[in-house]
Amino acid sequence: MENTGQNSPLGNHTTLVEFILIGFSDLPKLQGLLFGVFLILYIFILMGNSLIIVITKVDPSLQTPMYFFLRNFSFLEICYVSVTLPRLLADLWRQYGNISFLACAIQMYFFLILADTECFILTAMAYDRYVAICNPLLYPVIMNNKLCIQLALICWTTAVPMQIGLLSVIFSSPFCENNQMNHFFCDVPPIVQLICGDTFVIEMLAYVIAAFVVIIPFLLILGSYMKIISTILKLPSATGRTKAFSTCSSHLMVVTLFFGSGIIVYFRPKSTHSSGLDKYFSLMYSILIPVFNPIIYCLRNKDVMVALGKFLQKWIVL
């Protein structure tokens, strides 16, 4: 996250009243098409993830810890994408991406805490799969209702205080006269580029927080899956191995897409840094992952497909 601002700093950063989100204005002929595509994606995200929430709540066969965390994850995806997509749609519609200083700070805060929460929930889901496959006899005892609720609360609340410190440091810094941000929402890398002066402290703080909420959860998930794969390969039945792999494959796909794109944006070396490239990588973890979630968990999960069929049949009869 290097500082590329070439203008002199403002006398007082509070005089900066707004930023300009360039977004996809470099594609003027595609504004209408992009608006239509993102609107369809947003509707699909809302409907698909809402459907998962309803199905996993009402179907008796899906009242397990695995689907409890999936329900949390789907609700998180709705909140997560609603922080950025409505604003992007409004900017595409009016073809002007101005956002106030305060609105930018608020958007960044909620985006960061929801992204952090997603990392934690994906880790909790990996732990659930680890216990289910590596300790199946103790699974009902370990993954009891109390522990599931406690893990969910930890996931939803841990990131809230951490990001307050980062945002206070970022938005108390002096900004340059150039207020144009080559992005479609207020994220850390493009904002830091607009800060004048030394950004070393901000970058180090951002890296430390990112390491805590991204690298550590990713390593925990990786460790869980190493144990899971080792256990699955020892199963004597080919049918058992196939079933065990199928219960993990959906989660593993989401983890790979989300963490992979996030690590590329936040931990890529400065020598290869490009705000324009970051913008397109951000599409992956901010919009496309919430789109893939209902597809992956419905089409690749027989239990969810059966429950969906029963749910739709019930409503069609009504």
Side-chain angles (χ1 to χ4, degrees):
M1 293 182 293
E2 61 183 348
N3 184 6
T4 59
Q6 300 297 319
N7 297 317
S8 59
L10 296 166
N12 185 336
H13 75 274
T14 57
T15 59
L16 182 63
V17 295
E18 68 176 13
F19 296 102
I20 304 297
L21 293 168
I22 295 177
F24 301 98
S25 60
D26 54 336
L27 305 170
K29 296 182 179 180
L30 297 179
Q31 296 292 294
L33 176 62
L34 289 173
F35 177 85
V37 170
F38 286 126
L39 178 60
I40 292 171
L41 291 178
Y42 187 44
I43 293 173
F44 179 82
I45 291 168
L46 295 181
M47 294 181 63
N49 285 284
S50 296
L51 192 58
I52 289 178
I53 293 171
V54 172
I55 292 172
T56 56
K57 185 68 176 178
V58 302
D59 193 284
S61 66
L62 302 182
Q63 303 307 306
T64 63
M66 175 180 175
Y67 296 106
F68 169 79
F69 288 114
L70 177 57
R71 188 160 58 247
N72 272 265
F73 186 69
S74 295
F75 177 69
L76 172 64
E77 296 287 66
I78 292 173
C79 299
Y80 180 61
V81 78
S82 295
V83 173
T84 57
L85 250 182
R87 178 87 205 186
L88 173 58
L89 289 170
D91 292 344
L92 287 170
W93 179 262
R94 60 183 181 168
Q95 298 187 9
Y96 187 63
N98 64 313
I99 182 170
S100 70
F101 190 86
L102 178 61
C104 184
I106 293 173
Q107 184 188 53
M108 183 188 291
Y109 177 68
F110 281 103
F111 176 80
L112 290 176
I113 62 172
L114 291 171
D116 295 351
T117 302
E118 185 151 344
C119 294
F120 297 144
I121 288 184
L122 286 171
T123 307
M125 294 171 77
Y127 177 70
D128 170 69
R129 292 298 83 206
Y130 164 77
V131 177
I133 293 174
C134 298
N135 297 285
L137 297 179
L138 295 176
Y139 180 69
V141 178
I142 297 175
M143 296 304 295
N144 56 66
N145 188 57
K146 181 179 179 182
L147 178 63
C148 290
I149 294 175
Q150 288 176 340
L151 286 175
L153 286 174
I154 291 172
C155 291
W156 281 97
T157 58
T158 300
V160 173
M162 288 193 305
Q163 297 299 347
I164 293 177
L166 177 61
L167 261 71
S168 63
V169 173
I170 289 176
F171 286 94
S172 62
S173 301
F175 285 92
C176 300
E177 294 175 359
N178 176 25
N179 65 343
Q180 293 189 347
M181 196 187 312
N182 190 14
H183 216 288
F184 60 93
F185 70 94
C186 291
D187 201 1
V188 175
I191 281 286
V192 171
Q193 290 182 33
L194 301 182
I195 295 176
C196 286
D198 188 8
T199 59
F200 177 79
V201 174
I202 296 174
E203 291 175 12
M204 289 302 101
L205 180 59
Y207 283 136
V208 169
I209 294 175
F212 178 76
V213 302
V214 177
I215 299 300
I216 293 178
F218 181 73
L219 292 177
L220 290 173
I221 294 171
L222 186 63
S224 297
Y225 272 103
M226 290 176 64
K227 293 286 292 183
I228 288 170
I229 293 172
S230 175
T231 301
I232 290 175
L233 293 176
K234 294 176 183 178
L235 295 176
S237 168
T239 303
R241 289 195 295 269
T242 302
K243 184 177 180 181
F245 271 121
S246 67
T247 62
C248 300
S249 59
S250 300
H251 176 257
L252 193 56
M253 289 176 65
V254 173
V255 166
T256 302
L257 292 170
F258 181 76
F259 280 93
S261 56
I263 289 172
I264 288 173
V265 171
Y266 286 94
F267 292 94
R268 195 167 74 254
K270 287 184 178 182
S271 59
T272 61
H273 183 83
S274 168
S275 58
L277 194 59
D278 285 351
K279 178 170 60 178
Y280 292 101
F281 275 122
S282 298
L283 284 173
M284 176 63 73
Y285 62 79
S286 65
I287 297 177
L288 295 185
I289 298 298
V291 171
F292 292 148
N293 182 50
I295 297 175
I296 291 173
Y297 278 103
C298 288
L299 296 182
R300 297 183 58 84
N301 190 305
K302 292 181 179 179
D303 293 335
V304 174
M305 288 299 292
V306 171
L308 176 60
K310 291 190 295 185
F311 179 79
L312 294 177
Q313 187 179 27
K314 178 181 177 181
W315 280 98
I316 290 173
V317 172
L318 292 177

